[in-house]
Amino acid sequence: MRTLFALALAGAVPAAWAQTPASNPMPDGSSDMYVGLGAVSAPRYQGSGEHRVTALPLVQVQWSNGVFISGMSAGLHLSSNPVLEYGPMLAVLARRSHEGSYDAIGVPLGSLDLSGTQNKPATPAGGTPTRPSVAPPAVDEKAPLAGQRSGNRLAGTEAIGARLQGGVFFNYYLTPTLRVTNNLLAGSGRDRHGASWTVGLQHVTRSLAPHHSVSLAADLTMVNRSYNQSYFGVSLRDTMNSGNMPYAPGGGLRDVAVSARWNWALSPGWMISSGARAARLQGDARRSPLVERANNITVSTGLAYRF
C-alpha cells in the first residue's frame, strides 16, 4: 500500500502548493482517513514580509473508488496504471483582504512582523487619535516618499473573495519513489479568470528510521495575466486608496520552491507531520509594489489520527 500524507493548510497558502495524495489501492468500499489539528507559520499573503501563525485542521481522506480530499482540495483518481495518476480536481483559494489571506476555519494565534514597524498615534477611549501638543511636527527623514509604502502594502487595496478553482492533475512515476507532478487550476482572481500551472518533482515518503519518514519536493508555478493582475497588480482605484504606484503585470513564472515533510508515526493510529517550504517570487510577480519580501518560508506541524 502506497500512501502520501499531506498536511492540510486549509487556505493559508494557495491550494496548488499542496501535493496530490498518491493513489492508494484499497479493498472495495474501504477508506483511509487522517484527521487532526496543526499550526502553520506562513506569510500573510504572497510576498508579505510579515508572518502569521494560524491554527488549522489536518484532513486527508481517500476512498477505494479513487475520490480523495486533502485539505482544501478534492479530486478523483481515474487511472488504473500504477505509474500514472490523473483526474479532475477542485481547490479553494482563500479570500484575501487588506489584512492578508484568511480562511474561515483558520484561527490566528499570533504574528511576527518582519517588515518593520510603524509608529501610529495613540487612540483614547473616545476613538479620536491624540495629536502632539506642539506644532509643526518634526519631519521624519526616513519616511517613505510618495508612491512608496511601509508596513502593510495591502492597506487600501480591494479585497479578493474566496475562489473555487477547477482543474486537473497529472502525475508520472519515474521510479517507485520519484514522481513528476502537475496541477492545472483555473477560476481564481477578481474576475475568476486567473489560472495557474504547478509542475514539480517529488520524492515520495522514504523511511529514514523506524517510525520516521521524509518526502522532498521542488516545484515551479506559472500563472496567466489575470492571476498576476489580481494578486500582484495595482489598479488606479487601488493607487488612490493605498498610495501604491500603478502596476499591471503580465503572466509568466510566479515562483520556484523547495519543500520537505517529516512524518513521525507515534503508534499505528497517531502521527506527527511537520513540513517546511521555501519559495522565491519571480518575474512580474517579484517586481510588484505589493511585494515586501521575495523569499517566503512556510513552516507547519500537526498531530493527526488515522481512522
Side-chain angles (χ1 to χ4, degrees), residues 69-283:
I69 298 174
S70 181
M72 299 299 289
S73 64
L76 172 63
H77 282 283
L78 296 178
S79 175
S80 59
N81 188 329
V83 300
L84 290 178
E85 297 170 344
Y86 61 83
M89 68 180 299
L90 297 173
V92 176
L93 186 57
R95 178 178 184 269
R96 193 190 78 177
S97 71
H98 67 278
E99 296 181 345
S101 299
Y102 283 95
D103 184 80
I105 54 179
V107 182
L109 299 178
S111 63
L112 175 63
D113 190 347
L114 303 178
S115 61
T117 58
Q118 290 179 289
N119 294 323
K120 299 181 180 180
T123 303
T128 303
T130 59
R131 298 183 179 275
S133 58
V134 294
V139 177
D140 185 357
E141 297 180 354
K142 298 182 179 180
L145 301 175
Q148 294 181 333
R149 297 281 308 193
S150 63
N152 179 17
R153 300 188 188 185
L154 286 184
T157 60
E158 183 181 0
I160 305 174
R163 296 291 183 253
L164 177 62
Q165 304 170 96
V168 296
F169 66 90
F170 176 83
N171 306 325
Y172 178 74
Y173 282 84
L174 302 174
T175 71
T177 60
L178 188 67
R179 68 174 181 170
V180 177
T181 62
N182 291 269
N183 289 338
L184 179 62
L185 294 168
S188 59
R190 289 191 174 93
D191 58 6
R192 301 179 188 272
H193 294 159
S196 63
W197 172 37
T198 299
V199 57
L201 183 65
Q202 184 186 27
H203 191 286
V204 181
T205 304
R206 174 185 178 186
S207 179
L208 295 180
H211 312 297
H212 295 270
S213 59
V214 67
S215 61
L216 305 173
D219 62 75
L220 59 85
T221 299
M222 305 286 293
V223 297
N224 65 356
R225 178 186 295 272
S226 180
Y227 182 102
N228 260 354
Q229 289 187 347
S230 293
Y231 295 99
F232 295 98
V234 181
S235 65
L236 293 179
R237 175 180 176 181
D238 286 344
T239 296
M240 295 177 61
N241 295 329
S242 70
N244 292 307
M245 294 297 291
Y247 185 64
L253 180 62
R254 185 194 68 191
D255 63 24
V256 295
V258 293
S259 60
R261 178 154 302 284
W262 167 46
N263 292 334
W264 179 10
L266 303 176
S267 70
W270 289 97
M271 173 193 294
I272 294 177
S273 184
S274 303
R277 184 180 190 273
R280 180 172 178 81
L281 292 172
Q282 305 289 324

Side-chain angles (χ1 to χ4, degrees), residues 5-10 33-40 54-61 69-72 105 261-263 270-275 300-307:
F5 182 81
L7 178 63
L9 295 184
M33 177 185 300
Y34 291 90
V35 177
L37 184 66
V40 58
T54 309
L56 296 167
L58 282 67
V59 179
Q60 179 165 296
V61 188
I69 298 174
S70 181
M72 299 299 289
I105 54 179
R261 178 154 302 284
W262 167 46
N263 292 334
W270 289 97
M271 173 193 294
I272 294 177
S273 184
S274 303
S300 61
T301 189
L303 177 65
Y305 182 76
R306 183 178 188 180
F307 291 89

